Amino acid sequence: MPTLVHLSDIHFGPPQVPAHVAAVERRLREKRWDVVAISGDFTQRNFRGQFRQAKAFVDLARASAPTVVIPGNHDVAWWWCVGGLGPRAMMYRGYRKWISADLEPVLHAPGVTVASINTSHGIQWHTLTSRPRDLSVVGAVRPAQWAGAGHSLSSAPPGNLRVLMLHHNLLAGNLSRRWGLTARAAGIDAAMATGCDVVLCGHDHEARVEQVERDGRRMVVSQVNTISNRARGGLPASFHELSWDAAQVTVRQQQWDAAAGDFVDARSWSFAR
Ligand SMILES: [Fe+2]
Ligand SMILES: [Fe+2]
């Protein structure tokens, strides 16, 4: 069965945990996975040195397997362009220079197609929220972005697992109780309408995996924890390995075990496709 590793929120900078990164890098060198997907927040403060570290990690991933990445809110220099005033290109300059010129890449690999949506726009009129502390943090998706992802997934070869990747959490966090997107629950319907089988997202720093059903359709949501030291609720850092065949999708959580000094099998979930 093909495998895809879903990582997120590495946060190079103070929250980064070198042992966690090294454990993942070891697996990348072993070419453990067929596809690597990283759903944003590569840096903590958008600093050049943090991007440089993130680039080395992404380069290793790209040498290991087809890799798809998107920016998170921490990777966007939002202060350059608040409310559309200022040079918008500066917001993504660091990310584009060090990580990827494409903010919404589409990846076709054997058995899987990944379409992505950039949910990290800084503070714009369409991202405004009633929670002041969320102003530069919350995610937003324009209708054209949902439609574009749906178009990309509709061009997936028949039988391919269709994956949609976002930075912000599609489901409210179990601990935080917070939605990642301004659309809140409506985001679930919009994601479903893209025709995806699986959603990959992060941002909330807590793992939540479940299958969502709407009108006879269903999709698996892999909301993955951080591998930095900022895991919510003091829970161990973790990431997800996805595998699939024509009948089902399995998500295995790899969780940090301090005694073992490595990520080890924790929970797993299997869902009918
Ligand atoms: Fe994060
Ligand atoms: Fe984030």
Side-chain angles (χ1 to χ4, degrees):
M1 275 200 272
T3 58
L4 176 152
V5 64
H6 176 204
L7 297 154
S8 200
D9 298 80
I10 306 172
H11 286 290
F12 283 100
Q16 174 221 352
V17 180
H20 296 178
V21 172
V24 174
E25 287 177 337
R26 190 167 63 247
R27 289 163 171 79
L28 290 171
R29 287 193 192 91
E30 292 168 354
K31 300 189 188 296
R32 180 81 62 95
W33 304 297
D34 299 305
V35 175
V36 179
I38 311 174
S39 50
D41 276 358
F42 287 90
T43 68
Q44 177 64 11
R45 288 276 177 257
N46 213 267
F47 293 159
R48 184 179 305 165
Q50 296 171 1
F51 274 124
R52 194 176 284 128
Q53 285 183 283
K55 175 182 165 34
F57 184 87
V58 173
D59 284 348
L60 178 60
R62 286 176 175 140
S64 174
T67 295
V68 58
V69 299
I70 50 170
N73 52 299
H74 281 255
D75 306 319
V76 175
W78 56 268
W79 48 91
W80 279 102
C81 179
V82 173
L85 297 173
R88 182 177 160 78
M90 288 298 287
M91 290 201 304
Y92 301 108
R93 189 176 67 159
Y95 181 84
R96 281 197 153 115
K97 175 177 178 182
W98 296 98
I99 308 297
S100 171
D102 189 349
L103 301 180
E104 297 193 323
V106 178
L107 176 75
H108 294 286
V112 59
T113 294
V114 183
S116 54
I117 290 176
N118 173 26
T119 55
S120 302
H121 309 280
I123 304 174
Q124 310 302 332
W125 291 110
H126 75 285
T127 70
L128 289 182
T129 165
S130 57
R131 288 175 58 101
R133 59 184 280 221
D134 269 358
L135 268 181
S136 66
V137 173
V138 76
V141 183
R142 289 185 180 280
Q145 292 180 283
W146 291 118
H151 179 75
S152 297
L153 291 175
S154 70
S155 68
N160 263 22
L161 189 74
R162 288 162 297 177
V163 176
L164 175 68
M165 184 161 73
L166 321 168
H167 172 62
H168 288 80
N169 47 301
L170 185 69
L171 308 177
N174 280 324
L175 292 173
S176 70
R177 317 306 300 173
R178 289 165 72 184
W179 296 95
L181 297 172
T182 53
R184 298 170 70 88
I188 299 171
D189 297 304
M192 188 75 86
T194 66
C196 64
D197 303 306
V198 173
V199 175
L200 307 178
C201 56
H203 178 72
D204 190 54
H205 293 200
E206 187 202 356
R208 181 171 179 184
V209 177
E210 58 188 76
Q211 190 169 50
V212 179
E213 295 201 32
R214 290 279 193 282
D215 302 327
R217 276 212 78 248
R218 51 196 175 194
M219 64 183 181
V220 175
V221 180
S222 163
Q223 201 155 287
V224 73
N225 197 353
T226 177
I227 64 164
S228 76
N229 65 11
R230 302 288 166 92
R232 200 173 288 282
L235 295 167
S238 61
F239 62 86
H240 294 160
E241 288 177 331
L242 281 72
S243 56
W244 61 94
D245 58 21
Q248 66 175 24
V249 178
T250 297
V251 181
R252 278 188 298 277
Q253 184 184 36
Q254 298 290 304
Q255 185 168 275
W256 185 255
D257 181 324
D262 202 356
F263 289 97
V264 299
D265 279 326
R267 292 175 290 176
S268 83
W269 301 259
S270 287
F271 305 100
R273 275 180 75 175

